[in-house]
Amino acid sequence: MAYSQQLIDHYENPRNVGSLEKTDGTVGTGLVGAPACGDVMKLQIKVGVDGRIEDAKFKTFGCGSAIASSSLATEWVKGKTLDEAEQIKNTEIAQHLSLPPVKIHCSILAEDAIKAAIKDYRDKQQVADGKAAE
Amino acid sequence: MMIGGEHKAIPRAALAECWSCKGPVSVQAIFCHTCGAAQPPRQIDHFARLGFEPGFDLDIDLLEKRYLGFQRSVHPDRFANKSARDRAMAEQQSVSLNEAFETLNDPLRRASYLLQLKGQTASVAKDQTVDDPALLMEAMEAREALAEAESVEAIEKLAIKAGADAINLLSEISKAFAADDLAAANRLTTRLKYLRKFLEETRARRVALESF
């Protein structure tokens, strides 16, 4: 089957490739992998003072669908609050890119990467709050 | 993605009925010992199919020898003058033998299959994400190093290290299975998958560099 235009576009012109400073307190890093393919995906978010995601970057070593899924995920999370970003479902990513059934797990990977990045950011904030309270 | 079939370990001494002479025949038998008719491949695990006890450590030379011998015994040339049913049985046997051999001959597929036989789903056979931060970190760093390697020598160096790691991993997987530590065996198998993938990528990158 032919891949969708959206998928090819995100694969050929991936958005937001790169890294943010992992040790920055306002940056959350999600690192996930799909054991069935040996893929690895890193998605990072930078949260602004207003609580919205002001920047997002990704680095994915995997197939075209995994790259497109994470590229789309970084586009979608930008400007969202953490609660909103958490609501992004893999099915929406899969639908937008018209992923074939065998590539659905790539969109699951992207959803998990967003969640992992948010969790990492929140964990950091908790540690920071704990220190501030002392 | 499932690796291998949906086989469960079943008693190896079990008997079935020969379709031709109706006599009892071992579930492992390719031919009926009474009438000589080729038997359908029965629901036995891949190890039993090739006459091994389930285990990660396998004599690969013996595996291949048995596989080739069994395949010869069901070769179509031998069934040219037999009935259509005999021919069909032999063909089915050939397909099952092939699947068993392909699964057991590759350490990664063998480990995944063995986990399945022991009632575990191997992570490498699931559509799930890995929950092993150390492994992912290592995989990410390795892939980044590969992406930055600009010469064939640099890639070769990474490939040699990964190849050695993969060999060491096999003995670790073997130990985990020997100790019946399935969680460890599963984790190590996932690691092997990542190393394999990395090795594939080193080859692809080498080809890309050399074609300039």
Side-chain angles (χ1 to χ4, degrees):
Chain A
M1 73 158 271
Y3 286 116
S4 72
Q5 207 49 53
Q6 279 91 339
L7 192 150
I8 293 166
D9 181 35
H10 273 280
Y11 174 62
E12 289 181 343
N13 314 295
R15 312 341 177 227
N16 311 312
V17 176
S19 291
L20 298 170
E21 184 47 54
K22 211 168 76 179
T23 50
D24 184 337
T26 64
V27 170
T29 302
L31 189 59
V32 294
C37 358
D39 287 352
V40 54
M41 179 184 288
K42 183 175 78 178
L43 192 148
Q44 295 179 299
I45 52 169
K46 185 172 170 62
V47 183
V49 279
D50 58 355
R52 288 187 182 273
I53 297 170
E54 57 178 38
D55 200 7
K57 296 274 183 212
F58 84 95
K59 211 176 230 188
T60 295
F61 292 102
C63 65
S65 300
I67 290 168
S69 295
S70 37
S71 169
L72 181 64
T74 54
E75 269 201 331
W76 279 2
V77 296
K78 276 196 197 178
K80 285 195 166 71
T81 65
L82 297 182
D83 290 340
E84 286 163 0
E86 244 177 349
Q87 298 305 313
I88 296 173
K89 293 273 173 296
N90 86 284
T91 46
E92 296 166 320
I93 296 171
Q95 203 176 15
H96 185 85
L97 298 171
S98 314
L99 293 182
V102 292
K103 294 292 180 182
I104 295 299
H105 65 268
C106 298
S107 63
I108 298 177
L109 206 55
E111 182 191 319
D112 286 353
I114 297 173
K115 295 212 162 88
I118 293 173
K119 184 179 181 298
D120 181 55
Y121 171 79
R122 286 191 173 138
D123 288 349
K124 272 186 186 170
Q125 291 298 308
Q126 252 175 3
V127 172
D129 289 351
K131 279 200 182 127
E134 272 168 23
Chain B
M1 183 186 72
M2 291 295 294
I3 294 176
E6 277 288 352
H7 299 266
K8 287 272 171 288
I10 60 155
R12 276 143 200 267
L15 289 175
E17 188 189 89
C18 171
W19 62 272
S20 180
C21 72
K22 310 292 176 206
V25 59
S26 156
V27 288
Q28 278 179 267
I30 299 179
F31 297 97
C32 173
H33 62 278
T34 312
C35 72
Q39 297 298 304
R42 297 198 162 85
Q43 286 294 311
I44 54 174
D45 66 77
H46 294 325
F47 290 98
R49 177 111 34 231
L50 290 164
F52 289 93
E53 288 298 319
F56 183 72
D57 295 333
L58 211 54
D59 180 340
I60 290 294
D61 291 335
L62 183 60
L63 176 77
E64 189 175 310
K65 205 172 140 197
R66 270 192 201 157
Y67 166 70
L68 293 174
F70 288 169
Q71 277 294 17
R72 258 195 304 277
S73 74
V74 292
H75 193 277
D77 287 355
R78 290 176 188 254
F79 289 81
N81 301 322
K82 298 276 173 65
S83 73
R85 181 138 193 208
D86 266 305
R87 264 203 307 278
M89 297 291 168
E91 260 172 46
Q92 289 171 31
Q93 281 287 355
S94 175
V95 170
S96 297
L97 287 167
N98 206 30
E99 196 195 340
F101 178 72
E102 295 294 329
T103 305
L104 300 186
N105 192 38
D106 172 21
L108 179 61
R109 291 185 63 180
R110 182 163 73 239
S112 174
Y113 180 71
L114 192 55
L115 283 166
Q116 189 190 326
L117 272 189
K118 290 177 178 288
Q120 291 246 326
T121 308
S123 297
V124 292
K126 276 194 291 204
D127 264 0
Q128 274 183 4
T129 45
V130 197
D131 185 23
D132 188 339
L135 166 67
L136 290 171
M137 195 75 83
E138 186 188 282
M140 183 53 93
E141 279 168 6
R143 298 289 287 267
E144 281 175 338
L146 178 61
E148 283 159 16
E150 295 295 345
S151 67
V152 172
E153 292 73 38
I155 294 168
E156 195 66 359
K157 223 174 128 185
L158 293 171
I160 288 170
K161 178 169 183 311
D165 287 349
I167 290 169
N168 289 334
L169 207 45
L170 291 185
S171 70
E172 282 187 60
I173 294 173
S174 162
K175 276 184 213 147
F177 274 118
D180 217 27
D181 185 349
L182 299 182
N186 207 339
R187 204 178 56 242
L188 293 164
T189 303
T190 305
R191 239 179 101 102
L192 181 61
K193 172 77 195 187
Y194 270 89
L195 270 176
R196 284 274 187 92
K197 179 78 179 196
F198 180 75
L199 284 165
E200 265 172 44
E201 293 297 321
T202 60
R203 282 190 287 272
R205 182 128 168 84
R206 237 188 108 141
V207 170
L209 263 186
E210 282 172 340
S211 61
F212 273 114

